[in-house]
Amino acid sequence: MATISGGNGPTITFNEGSNDGTALSLALQAQISAALAAGTTVRTGGTNPPNGIGLLVSSTANSTITLNAAVQDLVLTGGGANTVFGSGGNSQLIMADNGGLLFNTGGGSGTVITGDGNNFLGAPTSGGGSFTFVTGSGNDTIYAGSGTNTTWAGTGNNLIFTSGSSDFIYSNGKDTIVGGTGSGGDTVQGGGISAVIFEGSKTLNFVGGTGAVTVYAGTGSSSVAAGTGGGLISGGSNGRNVLTGGAGTAGTTMFGGGNGDVLSAIGSAQNLLVAGAGNETLTGAGSTAGNVFFTGSGSASITGGSGNDVIFAGSGSSTVNGGVGQDLIAIVNGRAGGSVNIIFELGSDAVTLQGYAAGEAGRAISAAGSSNTIVLSDQTRITFTGVTTVQAGFFV
């Protein structure tokens, strides 16, 4: 519950619930207090604001209000759901209580703070300026249209859309975020529950919180860190994705999207890292767990961590350094066919052949003679760097 006073003048009491004490809400309350003190405030129970005023206070619930260009500030205190059509002007300030708000900005720019009701807030797809949307604990739908917009979503189940411009989103609830198409980029800060992100063609910069995340980076490039909640991350098809697994006890599954991706496993949970079709770097150097790596059809560099890792070779070329754990390099007939250079650690690394005929390893070793490179029946080439000749004991 917030009470705004204009000094010796009138007061306004309204309830924004969980947003009452936020810094942005307090700043707007100070602006409204100044308007009350200056006498540029109209308090009305109706739905049609008069012309030539600076601040409108509406105490009518379940009303529809169309703001004119002279009304920059609106406070809704009626307690029920309201529908508001913005003036399209710049620096619009809208404060709503817990009754729920349907607000169309009409263009322009400004700030909207709602209470803990269920809200629908929308900005136009073109011709709009920059808006800041702050919602409470309700289940909100926010369409951040044209312009550079900032959305601070509350703790409800929220649905957030962005357009082609650059947007910032703080995801604090159980949120679904749908990115737009264009040359801009979305920056998303994860909160404590969960987030599902479907990006379009824009770039995506995401940092997770404590909740689980699911990220599909679309056709752009992305930088995604899963936070401590882990989850599923699929990089953008444009490549140059930087994907980092969760730092906590929840694992992360990461799929490279294109050329030039870097996938990193950190923390103590097992992660799954799958290379895309291009030149990929997969690393578990910051991880203490045993991770699983899949190389693809391109050129891949694999570095394991301190755990016991499993690395599956693909049809491209790969360099594998398993790290300090007891690591297993798996060559699967029908999936392999490329070349694998293993930085082989005697006594800790091993190779397993799956789907080949019995005696495949022995036949390849005999054909190799004194070389440290063997060729399997599907033309997979395996080089054991660090040893002189290949021994049968390298295989399990």
Side-chain angles (χ1 to χ4, degrees), residues 80-91:
N82 292 278
T83 299
V84 177
F85 296 94
S87 66
N90 293 322
S91 302

Side-chain angles (χ1 to χ4, degrees), residues 2-46:
T3 300
I4 306 173
S5 173
N8 294 325
T11 61
I12 300 171
T13 300
F14 69 104
N15 187 3
E16 285 188 305
S18 56
N19 279 324
D20 277 342
T22 63
L24 189 55
S25 177
L26 293 174
L28 290 182
Q29 291 174 37
Q31 288 182 265
I32 294 169
S33 179
L36 289 169
T40 57
T41 302
V42 171
R43 183 193 300 268
T44 178

